[in-house]
Amino acid sequence: MTPTTSVTPTPPLAATVQTHPCARCGAPVPLDAGLCERCNPLGLKDVASSQAHGTVLIAIVVGVVILALAGRFALAGIGPFSGDVSNVAAAGSGLAVTIEVTNHGSSAGQTTCRLFDPTSGGIGPESTYAQSPRIEPGATVSFTASMTTLGSSVRPVGVDCGS
């Protein structure tokens, strides 16, 4: 007679279920559910994550469109502006530059003028910015800005007052 060995069968491993935290209390729940039994005792259907993210995305897009429209209506008719340098004088360690700015638009507004050395082609660190006062539509306003980046010797200064 030959000896027989008995093999005890091992039970199959239980399938592990992947989980994530409950949206309300943090208890582990299966991936296809958003809430645990305690937070959703009636077993009501959860909102799909694509619905929740889609709703937020639509709210952001609508908000951006509303802000864009509000900005468009707030700035409509302002500018374009044109500027000219009418006088350059030495003032302490810099220059006092008198600028004449005209508002060619249909609404009152302000502009930022860039003062620069025209020999550099308007490129370089020698430029300075000046805010104009409020200009009514079709009006021309003269104001003086100080510029220290070009030194104190009187020289030509260029101006660019965009809209």
Side-chain angles (χ1 to χ4, degrees):
M1 180 163 183
T2 62
T4 59
T5 43
S6 74
V7 177
T8 55
T10 59
L13 295 175
T16 58
V17 177
Q18 292 184 339
T19 63
H20 68 93
C22 171
R24 287 192 185 154
C25 69
V29 294
L31 292 178
D32 61 344
L35 300 173
C36 66
E37 274 296 315
R38 187 176 54 229
C39 295
N40 187 10
L42 298 177
L44 300 175
K45 183 129 176 91
D46 292 334
V47 175
S49 63
S50 60
Q51 285 177 298
H53 288 96
T55 303
V56 171
L57 178 66
I58 289 172
I60 291 172
V61 169
V62 168
V64 168
V65 168
I66 288 171
L67 285 174
L69 289 173
R72 170 69 177 110
F73 289 122
L75 299 175
I78 298 175
F81 297 93
S82 62
D84 293 310
V85 174
S86 62
N87 189 30
V88 178
S93 63
L95 299 172
V97 182
T98 304
I99 308 164
E100 290 184 356
V101 181
T102 303
N103 181 356
H104 299 286
S106 59
S107 296
Q110 292 178 286
T111 187
T112 301
C113 296
R114 186 173 63 91
L115 305 168
F116 58 92
D117 179 5
T119 61
S120 70
I123 301 172
E126 302 88 24
S127 63
T128 298
Y129 293 90
Q131 181 75 37
S132 76
R134 186 172 174 84
I135 307 169
E136 295 300 318
T140 299
V141 172
S142 179
F143 68 99
T144 303
S146 63
M147 182 176 192
T148 58
T149 56
L150 293 180
S152 60
S153 61
V154 177
R155 59 191 294 176
V157 175
V159 65
D160 178 25
C161 299
S163 55

